[in-house]
Amino acid sequence: MQTSLQARQNAKELQDYFKDLSKWESEIKNKDSNLLLRPDLPTQVPPIRNLQSQNPQIPPSESDSITPAELALIEKEKKAIAAYSKSVSFDSNPSTPAVYTNRALCFLKLSQFNNVIKDCDLALELESKNVKALWRRGLAKTELKDWSSAKS
């Protein structure tokens, strides 16, 4: 008896949740369509100034095609690198390679392959068989076309 009552309550809550979700989806769609119909809003976003000086690893031919979402991801990775660097500065004698391998991943996403290799080397000094450090260093060396040392 108690179980069937609980099951009915759960079913009712689930139905209410889906109704709310459906209502929210329709509200968002209406807002989107209303924004598209507004004549005072630009149809295209102007290019970001000084993109080359902020992101030197992006070739000029690709800088025009970068989307706001990609730019947001780049900024997110830069913030993460800053946070990991701050973490490294607090710990003068690190015992775990995690900070270095995580920062190396951020550098890898930004195509800063020399920094990836440096961080992976630091991680491998702490733990010589760290799989993430070995893998990321190998990826970076492959991207730099350093075939002979990419294997090691």
Side-chain angles (χ1 to χ4, degrees), residues 10 63 71 75 94 118-119 128 131-132 137 142-143:
N10 289 346
S63 66
L71 189 60
E75 289 304 313
K118 289 176 190 174
D119 272 0
S128 62
V131 177
K132 288 181 181 178
R137 185 177 68 176
T142 301
E143 288 294 326

Side-chain angles (χ1 to χ4, degrees), residues 29 51 54 64-65 79 92 107 109 113 118 142-143 150:
K29 287 178 184 175
L51 185 63
Q54 293 173 358
D64 295 333
S65 64
K79 286 180 183 177
S92 61
F107 284 131
K109 289 179 181 179
F113 303 116
K118 289 176 190 174
T142 301
E143 288 294 326

Side-chain angles (χ1 to χ4, degrees), residues 20 23 34 36 38 64 89 93 96 118 122 134 145:
D20 289 343
K23 182 180 175 185
N34 289 340
L36 291 174
R38 286 185 50 188
D64 295 333
S89 70
N93 191 14
T96 177
K118 289 176 190 174
L122 289 170
L134 290 167
K145 301 195 183 350

Side-chain angles (χ1 to χ4, degrees), residues 3-18:
T3 307
S4 64
L5 178 62
Q6 185 65 41
R8 276 186 257 140
Q9 287 175 342
N10 289 346
K12 174 73 171 126
E13 286 179 17
L14 190 60
Q15 287 175 345
D16 291 343
Y17 172 79
F18 282 123

Side-chain angles (χ1 to χ4, degrees), residues 16-26:
D16 291 343
Y17 172 79
F18 282 123
K19 285 179 186 175
D20 289 343
L21 180 63
S22 177
K23 182 180 175 185
W24 177 81
E25 284 179 335
S26 64

Side-chain angles (χ1 to χ4, degrees), residues 31-128:
K31 287 180 181 180
D32 278 346
S33 62
N34 289 340
L35 282 175
L36 291 174
L37 297 175
R38 286 185 50 188
D40 59 323
L41 294 178
T43 56
Q44 288 193 341
V45 179
I48 299 167
R49 284 184 255 155
N50 298 327
L51 185 63
Q52 280 306 110
S53 64
Q54 293 173 358
N55 300 302
Q57 72 278 2
I58 300 172
S61 62
E62 294 178 19
S63 66
D64 295 333
S65 64
I66 194 165
T67 66
E70 291 170 328
L71 189 60
L73 287 175
I74 289 170
E75 289 304 313
K76 181 179 174 186
E77 295 303 326
K78 286 182 178 180
K79 286 180 183 177
I81 288 170
Y84 288 126
S85 298
K86 190 174 183 179
S87 173
V88 167
S89 70
F90 286 140
D91 192 4
S92 61
N93 191 14
S95 59
T96 177
V99 174
Y100 295 113
T101 56
N102 291 344
R103 188 170 65 175
L105 178 61
C106 295
F107 284 131
L108 191 63
K109 289 179 181 179
L110 294 175
S111 301
Q112 295 179 7
F113 303 116
N114 289 321
N115 289 331
V116 173
I117 294 169
K118 289 176 190 174
D119 272 0
C120 288
D121 287 342
L122 289 170
L124 290 167
E125 285 177 18
L126 296 171
E127 188 180 309
S128 62

